[in-house]
Amino acid sequence: MKKIIYILMLLPVFTIAQSQLEGVVFENGNSKTPLAGANVHWANTKVGTVTNFDGEFTVPYKQEYSQLVISYVGFKTDTITVKNLNRIEHSLKATSDLEEVNISSRKAATSKSYLQSQNIITVNSDELLKAACCNLSESFETNPSIDVNFADAVTGTRQIKMLGLTSPYLLIATENIPSIRGASQAFGLSFIPGTWVESIQITKGAGSVVNGFESIAGQINAELVKPTTDDKLFVNLYGASNTRLELNTHFNTKVSDKWDTGIYLHGNTHQKKHDVNHDGFLDMPLYKQFNVMNRWQYTNPEKGFVSFINLKYLTDEKQAGELDFNQDTDKLTTNNWGSEIDTERYEVSAKLGYVNPEIPWQSLGVQAAFSGHKQDSYFGLNLYNIEHNSLYSNLVYNSIISDSRHKIKTGISYTHDSYNELVNSTNFNRVENSVGGFFEYNYDSLDKLNLTAGLRVDHHNLLGTFVTPRLHMRYTAWEKGVFRASVGRGKRSANIFAENQKLFSTSRVINIQNNNGEIYGLDPEIAWNYGVSFLQGFRLFGQKGDITLDYYITNFENQIVVDYENPQEVNFYNLNGDSYANSFQIEVNYEPFNQFNMRLAYKNYDVKTQYNSGKLEKPLTPKHRFFANASYETEVKNNSKWKFDATYNWLGEQRYSSTLNNPIAYQLPEYSPALSTLNAQITKVFSPRFEVYLGAENILNTRQDNPIVSANDPFGSSFDTTFVYGPIFGANYYTGLRFKIK
Amino acid sequence: MKKILTVVIVMFLSFTAFAQNKNARASLDVDGVCMMCKKRIEKASLNTKGVKSAIWNVETHELKLIFDERKTNINTIAENIADVGHDNKKLKATDEAYNSVHPCCKYRDEDVQDDHKE
């Protein structure tokens, strides 16, 4: 009330001080819809303004002004003569009533920043739709930086690799909260449905210290869809020729002007037994997965608060093994070889962000997440159960030093992990606690140089007290020519069983070469990562493109070597000697003509480890990889369009770990053959609401014929399902639809 | 006595804080045409001791500033912006300064202005 009085008192003062012309602009039509953002200015002057949300404007007036120009894109520009200060009401006519003209620049599906100090590739939802399906592990198929391959011939698990290192060396986070770690390491990527993902950020090399000390080769962050921006209703139905069925539905609703909520449901099932290579084993497991998430989003722009609360629950059941395996009668017997993996997981996470509305560079963020993970499983005669409860919390404060070119981030974090593992008859329990503080400084010259230097100090009950430094730099040497460099250290405790669950689907004897370390008798893993990259944007024949070269080196100070070199054993021991992963990649993106995009990449890996039996190339890691992706979209006509996408992959030969100790019948050559695969997809968009897709994975029907060694004698000493270098099932066709209401 | 002293000190402090705002906000119209201009304008602002944040909008030509009033004032900032060749509401750049900007940034030239419209 007081305020209104002040305003009333002040109003006449203003009108006296300077003459103002007031008015309102409408869209021409029956209903008087106000036109926000229309330009209003005095002809032949620079005096002007823009209408507000209600179409209203106030513009300074002088006697010599007479012609007022009102304009808005898509509307006819009008000039009106003004003689006095009477309020103006004016309607603008649309330039054409035939069809709405939408001018929009197309957003790139994958983008690389020319400005950030880190080497970050952002994959947005358009790119994710190129591979129709289904969960996070399958969404990297159109990205050459990440390799996806099957972990073994039984569980159907896909494993990802970056810079030649498998996922345990990557920090995988959901909305910047580390999410796939510990017990969920092996299957976690398949626990995040693809339609829940809004975008993915892939950081190569040492990441930021803000997210912890664990990342070594890189970080992958999946940003989930938000209740405020996602569709009100979204349905995705998917069916494949291998009889895999999936259903995704999202419901989002506004609860109040500050609260939004969404319920996301995902179901995934495969119930038919396939054996295309006639080895008596299922080519892929039978499974059922059910996933539900409830998200709450709170936004209060006036006070500067944003908050997310997530509740997630998942159950996943897999059954694999011989065709004749019957879980009721054959479990843990030698009747038939079979395996069951049952997982139950829940997560609660909350984020609160505060940006000072007065001082926009000051912000405070709190993240907290709690998860409970329980896996009960057996593989033939091997029993493996794991329970992992985890608490993560992080407090981040952002500010500047002197001015906005010098930004700082600082904060503290606390994590707690308790593991309860049963491997056959041995119990492995451990509790890990760590508390740490971090400080990150970013300098942006607003020009050529951008530098991020971070340091964190952590105290961990098993890893001790240690320092994690990370440094990133970007230098723009010339237009669109960007050099980057990074260096950083990572440290982690290896979850030797959870990360290497494929070893259970073998007859190998498990040996841990104990040296009285803190974790399974082993020492923590420590590595340094160094990287350089160069990005050059260019124009060729008037069309845009870019080329990226990068080279990364990971050097292990200590590693838990997982030694498969004796086919009757798997050995875990601390590294004694050298272990490194060098990776070189060249990638070219080019749009030869409008709406047609091409991506070509070549990758070279040199990954070697000192095993007890000698310094050897890492098994099942191709030295050479060639990648090509092409996509084309037709112009939009009557709201509809076609989208085409194809991805070709060529993988060079991969080394098999030694099988010399096996009987001759079960020996494998030194290297696997090279292979190539082709995936393609066509999408018909009927309207912004409805689209249908049809696709094929592995059209060339590439198959590894004998993925299981000693499949005919699964309880014999040579049985092994880990020698997988390529697809097992062959070609798979799928179709699906997406329906959404905004 | 102590209490009174505290009250006086607090009052004095808040008074000075009011008079000399550490995070004063101001907005200034600065002429320019492109992202290169943006970099130059923002850099010139931030190079003025005391300026904490400077964000220039290509479309509205509005430069939003946050600065420490004890260290600088809007006229000094405007001067520094004019020195790198950008006209603003307070000060017109000298021809010499204006001529130092990149040819594609010659915002006074109508052809250049047109080039930056769609």
Side-chain angles (χ1 to χ4, degrees):
Chain A
M1 191 59 208
K2 236 182 186 171
K3 267 185 190 162
I4 295 172
I5 292 171
Y6 280 130
I7 291 168
L8 285 176
M9 279 167 64
L10 285 172
L11 263 178
V13 180
F14 275 124
T15 30
I16 293 161
Q18 195 181 15
S19 300
Q20 300 273 350
L21 174 72
E22 282 177 35
V24 59
V25 180
F26 296 110
E27 222 174 285
N28 199 21
N30 295 333
S31 63
K32 284 202 161 177
T33 319
L35 200 57
N39 275 304
V40 179
H41 76 273
W42 294 105
N44 306 318
T45 72
K46 284 193 171 177
V47 181
T49 183
V50 177
T51 58
N52 69 10
F53 190 72
D54 298 314
E56 290 165 345
F57 67 88
T58 320
V59 62
Y61 175 75
K62 275 190 205 162
Q63 209 102 77
E64 57 264 39
Y65 300 157
S66 60
Q67 305 279 320
L68 189 69
V69 182
I70 304 175
S71 63
Y72 192 76
V73 179
F75 289 83
K76 235 183 114 205
T77 301
D78 286 347
T79 308
I80 45 180
T81 311
V82 178
K83 292 192 179 116
N84 51 42
L85 280 174
N86 290 346
R87 188 179 155 90
I88 289 173
E89 280 195 18
H90 188 79
S91 301
L92 283 187
K93 256 193 200 139
T95 32
S96 114
D97 288 331
L98 290 172
E99 217 175 301
E100 199 180 325
V101 184
N102 276 317
I103 304 164
S104 60
S105 65
R106 214 151 46 88
K107 223 175 24 175
T110 347
S111 55
K112 291 175 188 160
S113 169
Y114 287 97
L115 301 174
Q116 274 161 317
S117 57
Q118 300 179 359
N119 187 4
I120 299 181
I121 304 155
T122 303
V123 179
N124 74 26
S125 56
D126 285 351
E127 181 80 17
L128 296 173
L129 295 180
K130 286 182 178 178
C133 215
C134 284
N135 59 51
L136 202 55
S137 73
E138 291 155 314
S139 50
F140 297 108
E141 268 161 19
T142 58
N143 193 307
S145 291
I146 300 215
D147 311 287
V148 186
N149 50 355
F150 285 98
D152 60 71
V154 170
T155 61
T157 313
R158 280 173 218 237
Q159 203 175 38
I160 63 165
K161 276 184 199 159
M162 187 155 88
L163 310 182
L165 296 170
T166 47
S167 56
Y169 297 110
L170 308 174
L171 180 93
I172 305 174
T174 317
E175 306 203 310
N176 288 314
I177 295 176
S179 60
I180 298 175
R181 50 191 292 282
S184 68
Q185 190 61 255
F187 308 117
L189 280 173
S190 67
F191 293 164
I192 300 178
T195 61
W196 292 8
V197 177
E198 184 185 80
S199 65
I200 303 175
Q201 292 82 40
I202 302 165
T203 311
K204 277 191 178 182
S208 156
V209 290
V210 177
N211 293 332
F213 51 81
E214 284 178 327
S215 87
I216 288 172
Q219 303 196 359
I220 294 173
N221 180 48
E223 211 48 47
L224 302 183
V225 292
K226 320 246 174 314
T228 47
T229 48
D230 192 32
D231 306 305
K232 270 209 168 67
L233 170 71
F234 173 85
V235 180
N236 174 33
L237 250 171
Y238 167 100
S241 61
N242 62 17
T243 71
R244 172 176 174 180
L245 279 175
E246 299 229 359
L247 174 69
N248 278 293
T249 47
H250 307 176
F251 304 96
N252 288 292
T253 179
K254 207 166 186 51
V255 182
S256 70
D257 61 331
K258 297 201 172 70
W259 283 96
D260 289 87
T261 184
I263 290 186
Y264 305 84
L265 298 166
H266 168 84
N268 177 8
T269 174
H270 170 249
Q271 294 300 335
K272 197 176 163 210
K273 295 184 173 182
H274 305 276
D275 182 19
V276 288
N277 50 13
H278 307 290
D279 60 1
F281 277 78
L282 299 179
D283 295 330
M284 59 186 85
L286 307 178
Y287 56 77
K288 270 189 281 197
Q289 191 188 100
F290 176 71
N291 229 317
V292 57
M293 172 169 72
N294 181 208
R295 286 203 96 179
W296 292 84
Q297 181 174 2
Y298 173 84
T299 340
N300 186 344
E302 292 93 48
K303 294 256 161 68
F305 280 107
V306 186
S307 174
F308 286 97
I309 299 165
N310 295 334
L311 307 160
K312 269 195 240 177
Y313 175 77
L314 162 115
T315 67
D316 183 69
E317 288 171 21
K318 290 190 187 75
Q319 193 225 302
E322 287 188 288
L323 288 173
D324 299 330
F325 177 77
N326 178 337
Q327 60 205 65
D328 297 328
T329 52
D330 302 345
K331 179 179 174 179
L332 295 169
T333 68
T334 51
N335 301 345
N336 283 301
W337 196 97
S339 163
E340 272 187 276
I341 307 165
D342 291 343
T343 309
E344 208 178 358
R345 181 181 170 88
Y346 65 89
E347 282 171 50
V348 182
S349 65
K351 270 179 130 175
L352 178 70
Y354 169 73
V355 182
N356 188 337
E358 294 301 315
I359 308 167
W361 61 77
Q362 263 183 11
S363 69
L364 192 69
V366 189
Q367 303 169 328
F370 182 77
S371 67
H373 187 107
K374 191 171 185 297
Q375 179 189 326
D376 291 328
S377 51
Y378 60 88
F379 306 81
L381 297 175
N382 282 322
L383 190 71
Y384 180 63
N385 294 338
I386 180 166
E387 239 186 291
H388 175 194
N389 291 320
S390 168
L391 173 74
Y392 170 87
S393 57
N394 200 10
L395 180 90
V396 191
Y397 172 73
N398 288 284
S399 190
I400 58 170
I401 299 176
S402 102
D403 65 59
S404 60
R405 286 171 297 186
H406 311 270
K407 295 192 182 73
I408 55 157
K409 266 184 194 179
T410 180
I412 42 169
S413 54
Y414 171 75
T415 53
H416 167 87
D417 292 288
S418 87
Y419 295 94
N420 202 337
E421 263 180 312
L422 176 71
V423 179
N424 293 321
S425 54
T426 317
N427 259 308
F428 294 91
N429 295 342
R430 74 176 196 271
V431 173
E432 295 190 12
N433 283 310
S434 82
V435 55
F438 56 87
F439 184 85
E440 192 178 78
Y441 165 76
N442 174 267
Y443 172 71
D444 184 354
S445 73
L446 297 178
D447 204 3
K448 293 195 158 158
L449 183 72
N450 191 334
L451 182 148
T452 308
L455 190 76
R456 63 178 295 141
V457 180
D458 290 271
H459 177 74
H460 187 287
N461 64 331
L462 302 180
L463 308 182
T465 303
F466 56 97
V467 174
T468 309
R470 305 263 167 93
L471 178 72
H472 301 266
M473 250 166 73
R474 180 220 85 200
Y475 182 73
T476 306
W478 48 79
E479 208 186 336
K480 298 250 169 203
V482 177
F483 288 93
R484 283 193 174 85
S486 70
V487 55
R489 184 184 198 254
K491 187 167 180 174
R492 61 188 291 278
S493 56
N495 281 287
I496 56 170
F497 300 112
E499 288 159 16
N500 298 290
Q501 290 192 37
K502 65 176 184 180
L503 69 90
F504 294 120
S505 302
T506 65
S507 299
R508 291 170 190 260
V509 176
I510 302 165
N511 295 320
I512 301 173
Q513 298 180 11
N514 193 320
N515 78 333
N516 297 318
E518 294 281 1
I519 305 132
Y520 305 103
L522 298 163
D523 294 336
E525 297 191 289
I526 300 170
W528 281 88
N529 182 291
Y530 312 88
V532 283
S533 82
F534 173 63
L535 164 67
Q536 178 71 57
F538 62 82
R539 266 183 187 276
L540 185 66
F541 308 119
Q543 296 293 111
K544 266 195 207 168
D546 62 65
I547 178 165
T548 317
L549 293 154
D550 58 42
Y551 190 73
Y552 284 86
I553 299 171
T554 311
N555 267 331
F556 283 91
E557 254 172 50
N558 184 42
Q559 188 178 23
I560 306 305
V561 179
V562 187
D563 184 343
Y564 281 92
E565 299 304 320
N566 178 345
Q568 270 75 47
E569 293 176 1
V570 55
N571 285 283
F572 295 100
Y573 48 84
N574 285 323
L575 177 70
N576 182 11
D578 254 8
S579 176
Y580 61 82
N582 299 344
S583 136
F584 167 76
Q585 182 177 319
I586 175 164
E587 183 185 331
V588 181
N589 286 287
Y590 184 57
E591 192 177 347
F593 50 91
N594 283 343
Q595 313 267 55
F596 185 86
N597 282 290
M598 269 171 52
R599 180 177 303 151
L600 298 172
Y602 165 76
K603 204 152 62 175
N604 183 286
Y605 281 146
D606 174 19
V607 187
K608 286 204 178 83
T609 304
Q610 181 69 49
Y611 291 90
N612 283 347
S613 50
K615 192 169 176 177
L616 297 167
E617 222 173 276
K618 195 176 178 192
L620 299 170
T621 304
K623 245 189 173 149
H624 306 279
R625 179 182 169 199
F626 180 74
F627 170 97
N629 174 273
S631 64
Y632 177 68
E633 278 184 29
T634 62
E635 298 286 342
V636 179
K637 265 188 203 151
N638 302 324
N639 272 329
S640 77
K641 65 174 173 185
W642 289 90
K643 292 198 259 186
F644 303 89
D645 192 88
T647 306
Y648 174 82
N649 260 300
W650 180 88
L651 301 181
E653 52 180 23
Q654 307 176 33
R655 189 180 77 86
Y656 284 130
S657 53
S658 170
T659 48
L660 286 174
N661 280 359
N662 267 348
I664 292 192
Y666 299 139
Q667 284 186 9
L668 292 170
E670 213 178 322
Y671 281 90
S672 80
L675 73 102
S676 50
T677 60
L678 179 68
N679 294 353
Q681 185 180 297
I682 302 171
T683 309
K684 166 79 176 164
V685 180
F686 288 94
S687 75
R689 284 191 163 187
F690 184 64
E691 60 191 62
V692 172
Y693 54 87
L694 178 74
E697 284 163 3
N698 191 9
I699 302 176
L700 305 173
N701 204 17
T702 306
R703 253 176 33 208
Q704 176 177 0
D705 278 331
N706 298 304
I708 301 176
V709 174
S710 175
N712 54 352
D713 183 16
F715 296 97
S717 65
S718 298
F719 177 72
D720 202 313
T721 67
T722 61
F723 293 96
V724 177
Y725 68 85
I728 298 160
F729 180 66
N732 177 35
Y733 299 88
Y734 62 84
T735 182
L737 60 87
R738 296 187 193 99
F739 176 75
K740 50 200 160 193
I741 296 176
K742 282 271 167 209
Chain B
M1 185 55 208
K2 230 180 182 179
K3 256 186 190 168
I4 296 171
L5 196 70
T6 331
V7 169
V8 170
I9 288 170
V10 167
M11 273 175 71
F12 182 72
L13 278 179
S14 54
F15 183 74
T16 43
F18 187 72
Q20 295 239 292
N21 194 341
K22 265 169 71 179
N23 292 310
R25 282 161 176 269
S27 141
L28 183 69
D29 264 4
V30 182
D31 225 346
V33 277
C34 60
M35 296 309 278
M36 268 168 85
C37 297
K38 181 179 162 77
K39 272 189 185 167
R40 201 163 36 236
I41 295 164
E42 291 177 356
K43 219 174 157 179
S45 311
L46 289 169
N47 277 332
T48 315
K49 206 173 180 253
V51 175
K52 295 181 174 179
S53 159
I55 298 160
W56 184 73
N57 187 318
V58 184
E59 266 156 40
T60 62
H61 291 189
E62 188 191 8
L63 174 70
K64 285 190 175 158
L65 294 162
I66 301 178
F67 58 92
D68 189 337
E69 275 183 346
R70 297 169 307 176
K71 290 186 182 159
T72 190
N73 56 53
I74 190 85
N75 291 327
T76 315
I77 304 168
E79 238 169 74
N80 285 346
I81 293 168
D83 282 351
V84 296
H86 285 273
D87 294 346
N88 54 67
K89 226 178 184 172
K90 302 239 174 222
L91 217 61
K92 196 168 187 291
T94 60
D95 287 346
E96 202 186 354
Y98 173 73
N99 287 332
S100 72
V101 306
H102 193 274
C104 90
C105 298
K106 301 272 185 205
Y107 55 90
R108 287 181 194 165
D109 193 329
E110 274 182 28
D111 290 343
V112 173
Q113 284 177 26
D114 287 342
D115 278 351
H116 288 91
K117 286 171 189 156
E118 278 170 301

